[in-house]
Amino acid sequence: LSDFDHANHKADGRPTVLFTRRKELVRAEGAKRVYLLRSGAKHHIINPAVFARHRLSPELITVISKSELEAFPTGPAINE
């Protein structure tokens, strides 16, 4: 937060809170395809360039079983 003074660990006035949607990234065990979970559906991220453009991090990827992944309905791929 830009209004937080890290030296004295206090807000400089009323703090501003920014809410962002949590990015849930998953892939099935043994698979390379990465999906973004959004609104209960899985959305394939089509390539590393799109992954980078969305400022996603590989550390956010959770590996789940194939059956867990298949339980999510498929939404449109993320290609931009």
Side-chain angles (χ1 to χ4, degrees), residues 32-53:
K32 293 187 179 189
R33 282 186 164 209
V34 175
Y35 295 87
L36 173 66
L37 298 181
R38 184 187 305 154
S39 301
K42 65 183 181 237
H43 302 268
H44 177 230
I45 302 170
I46 65 161
N47 61 42
V50 172
F51 191 89
R53 195 172 307 125

Side-chain angles (χ1 to χ4, degrees), residues 48-66:
V50 172
F51 191 89
R53 195 172 307 125
H54 284 268
R55 297 182 181 186
L56 301 172
S57 171
E59 291 83 30
L60 297 175
I61 299 171
T62 301
V63 179
I64 61 176
S65 71
K66 184 178 178 182

Side-chain angles (χ1 to χ4, degrees), residues 6-51:
H6 291 276
N8 66 20
H9 303 286
K10 293 183 181 180
D12 298 329
R14 188 173 181 171
T16 302
V17 179
L18 304 175
F19 292 94
T20 60
R21 212 179 335 188
R22 184 173 158 219
K23 296 186 172 55
E24 292 185 72
L25 301 173
V26 296
R27 70 173 177 80
E29 294 172 343
K32 293 187 179 189
R33 282 186 164 209
V34 175
Y35 295 87
L36 173 66
L37 298 181
R38 184 187 305 154
S39 301
K42 65 183 181 237
H43 302 268
H44 177 230
I45 302 170
I46 65 161
N47 61 42
V50 172
F51 191 89

